[in-house]
Amino acid sequence: MRRGLLLSVAALPILLAGCSSSSSSAPAQIPAQNLQPALTNLYQQYAGVAMPKGTCDGTVVAQEGSAVKCTITDGAGTAWPATVTVAKVHDGNADLNAAFVDPMISVADANANVATLYKMFTDADATKVACVGLQKAAPASVRPCVVTDSTGKTVKVSLSVSSVSGDKPAFQLSIPNS
């Protein structure tokens, strides 16, 4: 289960007005607005929709291992803590790794588990699965999904985490009676 996403951005120094001294050997700062693409991509990978709002606690030094705390707020107003870390700096570019603080289920993992469980319980293949929203890899977390099956039927289902062993969640699928 992947928790983060790597993105490369240019590490541009910030010029501060009113400073009496400067150090040319100081690492460049990556401004908060340059962290947004990493957060946006992370949210898309785990929620399946565009990110409504993401904020970070300021800038991050363009130095390997430097990190900044961030918050992604979903469409329902729930705040999800995340971190953007500088994974590597090379030729003036910083590779950024955005990750949720809590273990999460990606949309791809949710869709794959829904398709497998749907086939087990209905004997119909899931030809299309669309899961959206964020879901922790924690017992009792739930994500809504829509399945279109090989018979042409469209069904709203819920994917729940029933338990977690190590870093491996087990899933349950709730399918309404037809």
Side-chain angles (χ1 to χ4, degrees), residues 103-130:
M104 305 291 281
I105 309 295
S106 72
V107 169
D109 288 344
N111 289 348
N113 280 287
V114 167
T116 300
L117 293 169
Y118 190 84
K119 171 76 172 170
M120 287 173 51
F121 294 118
T122 66
D123 290 327
D125 288 323
T127 57
K128 181 179 178 186
V129 179

Side-chain angles (χ1 to χ4, degrees), residues 43 47 49-54 72-80 132-134:
Y43 189 81
V49 294
M51 180 179 69
K53 183 179 177 190
I72 296 175
T73 304
D74 65 19
T78 303
W80 300 85
V132 295
L134 293 174

Side-chain angles (χ1 to χ4, degrees), residues 44-49 105-116 118 125-135 142-149 153-159 173-174:
Q44 179 68 38
Q45 177 185 0
Y46 282 87
V49 294
I105 309 295
S106 72
V107 169
D109 288 344
N111 289 348
N113 280 287
V114 167
T116 300
Y118 190 84
D125 288 323
T127 57
K128 181 179 178 186
V129 179
C131 295
V132 295
L134 293 174
Q135 183 178 22
V142 179
R143 180 186 302 212
C145 303
V146 177
V147 175
T148 303
D149 69 24
K153 184 177 175 182
T154 300
V155 182
K156 291 182 180 179
V157 300
S158 297
L159 181 67
L173 189 65
S174 298

Side-chain angles (χ1 to χ4, degrees), residues 4-124:
L5 184 68
L6 193 64
L7 185 70
S8 184
V9 298
L12 303 173
I14 295 178
L15 301 176
L16 300 174
C19 288
S20 59
S21 66
S22 65
S23 170
S24 61
S25 64
Q29 295 285 320
I30 302 170
Q33 69 264 21
N34 288 10
L35 305 175
Q36 289 300 307
L39 292 175
T40 298
N41 290 338
L42 176 70
Y43 189 81
Q44 179 68 38
Q45 177 185 0
Y46 282 87
V49 294
M51 180 179 69
K53 183 179 177 190
T55 58
C56 293
D57 292 347
T59 64
V60 66
V61 176
Q63 188 171 16
E64 189 173 324
S66 295
V68 63
K69 292 180 183 180
C70 302
T71 301
I72 296 175
T73 304
D74 65 19
T78 303
W80 300 85
T83 303
V84 175
T85 304
V86 177
K88 184 176 179 182
V89 178
H90 53 90
D91 298 329
N93 292 314
D95 291 340
L96 301 176
N97 183 26
F100 286 104
V101 171
D102 296 316
M104 305 291 281
I105 309 295
S106 72
V107 169
D109 288 344
N111 289 348
N113 280 287
V114 167
T116 300
L117 293 169
Y118 190 84
K119 171 76 172 170
M120 287 173 51
F121 294 118
T122 66
D123 290 327

